[in-house]
């Protein structure tokens, strides 16, 4: 997400919010990664089934978590986020996603932490992506609302995102939190735009 220092419209490829949720650890579970981001944002969030995710600012330390999460996306979740099925990101893409200055470029991730202190990526920035095992539990709403609050504090006035026309869950999320959002239909994807102040963002998850 690009965050200019002056109020200005921003464009978010891939749909206003990306939710990424990981399945339970299996035979292909990743190596233990202990992520201590050292930022002000480390909020616990209990999802509907009782599991807890921690919302954290994305730093270069999140790189292995993002790589592992990509491999666990279902084809449909991947297609909705990237407009095609992808399970790997290039090194350059990972650099752009994780080497952020915290102001002009900012992203939120969500992780789960097991009893041994190992972390697993379960959520990502705006665009919003949630890996399959954590979907439909309220995590996407939590990520979106935290991002809206942070964007507003930095003077951002408007969100603009591109969403695949058949991405029903994303449109439902946007309609719930930004019921006055303007949707412009396109050939393969639609453009959604909402202004934080005038569109009355609903902060209830």
């Amino acid at each position: 997400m690009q965050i200019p220092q002056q109020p200005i419209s921003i464009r978010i490829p891939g749909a206003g919010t990306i939710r990424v949720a990981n399945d339970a650890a299996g035979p292909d579970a990743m190596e233990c990664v202990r992520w201590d981001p050292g930022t002000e944002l480390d909020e616990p969030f209990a999802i509907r089934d009782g599991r807890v995710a921690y919302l954290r600012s994305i730093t270069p330390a999140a790189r292995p978590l993002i790589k592992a999460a990509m491999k666990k996306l279902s084809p449909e979740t991947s297609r909705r986020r990237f407009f095609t099925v992808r399970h790997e990101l290039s090194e350059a893409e990972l650099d752009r996603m994780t080497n952020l200055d915290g102001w002009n470029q900012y992203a939120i991730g969500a992780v789960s932490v097991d009893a041994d202190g190992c972390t697993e990526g379960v959520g990502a920035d705006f665009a919003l992506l949630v890996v399959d095992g954590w979907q439909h539990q309220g995590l996407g709403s939590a990520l979106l609302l935290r991002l809206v609050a942070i964007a507003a504090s930095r003077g951002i006035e408007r969100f603009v995102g591109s969403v695949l026309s058949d991405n029903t869950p994303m449109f439902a999320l946007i309609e719930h939190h930004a019921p006055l959002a303007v949707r412009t239909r396109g050939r393969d994807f639609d453009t959604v735009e909402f202004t934080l102040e005038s569109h009355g963002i609903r902060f209830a998850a």
Side-chain angles (χ1 to χ4, degrees):
M1 172 180 158
Q2 302 296 318
I3 302 184
Q5 297 188 21
Q6 300 295 327
I8 191 172
S9 170
I10 56 175
R11 179 164 296 279
I12 306 150
T17 306
I18 294 180
R19 301 196 311 162
V20 182
N22 284 342
D23 298 325
D28 60 342
M30 66 179 183
E31 296 180 11
C32 178
V33 177
R34 289 179 172 82
W35 179 24
D36 180 11
T39 68
E40 78 289 351
L41 186 67
D42 194 357
E43 304 177 19
F45 176 77
I47 65 173
R48 297 186 183 112
D49 66 9
R51 288 176 292 173
V52 176
Y54 294 87
L55 307 186
R56 296 178 173 178
S57 300
I58 294 292
T59 71
R63 193 184 187 100
L65 303 178
I66 294 172
K67 291 179 69 172
M70 287 291 299
K71 296 181 183 300
K72 294 194 172 187
L73 298 179
S74 70
E76 182 62 10
T77 293
S78 178
R79 186 187 70 85
R80 285 174 174 170
R81 167 57 184 96
F82 298 104
F83 293 6
T84 186
V85 177
R86 299 188 60 189
H87 294 292
E88 291 186 357
L89 297 173
S90 69
E91 294 302 310
E93 288 172 318
L94 287 168
D95 284 342
R96 288 195 298 271
M97 281 185 158
T98 60
N99 290 318
L100 310 174
D101 63 16
W103 185 266
N104 293 304
Q105 299 170 310
Y106 184 82
I108 298 173
V111 300
S112 63
V113 183
D114 66 18
D116 296 324
C118 300
T119 55
E120 180 180 23
V122 297
D125 65 330
F126 202 95
L128 227 178
L129 173 67
V130 176
V131 299
D132 296 78
W134 287 69
Q135 291 179 6
H136 311 299
Q137 299 293 324
L139 184 55
S141 287
L143 288 166
L144 173 59
L145 296 180
R146 298 305 189 281
L147 189 62
V148 165
I150 290 168
S153 73
R154 286 161 163 76
I156 297 300
E157 296 180 340
R158 182 169 50 167
F159 282 172
V160 181
S162 301
V163 185
L164 281 177
S165 301
D166 63 356
N167 191 347
T168 302
M170 178 58 70
F171 287 117
L173 182 73
I174 294 170
E175 182 177 357
H176 177 71
H177 291 292
L180 300 181
V182 177
R183 178 176 175 180
T184 303
R185 297 186 181 277
R187 179 177 178 180
D188 298 316
F189 60 85
D190 298 349
T191 299
V192 178
E193 178 178 346
F194 58 90
T195 304
L196 302 190
E197 182 176 356
S198 64
H199 285 175
I201 303 303
R202 295 175 177 172
F203 279 87

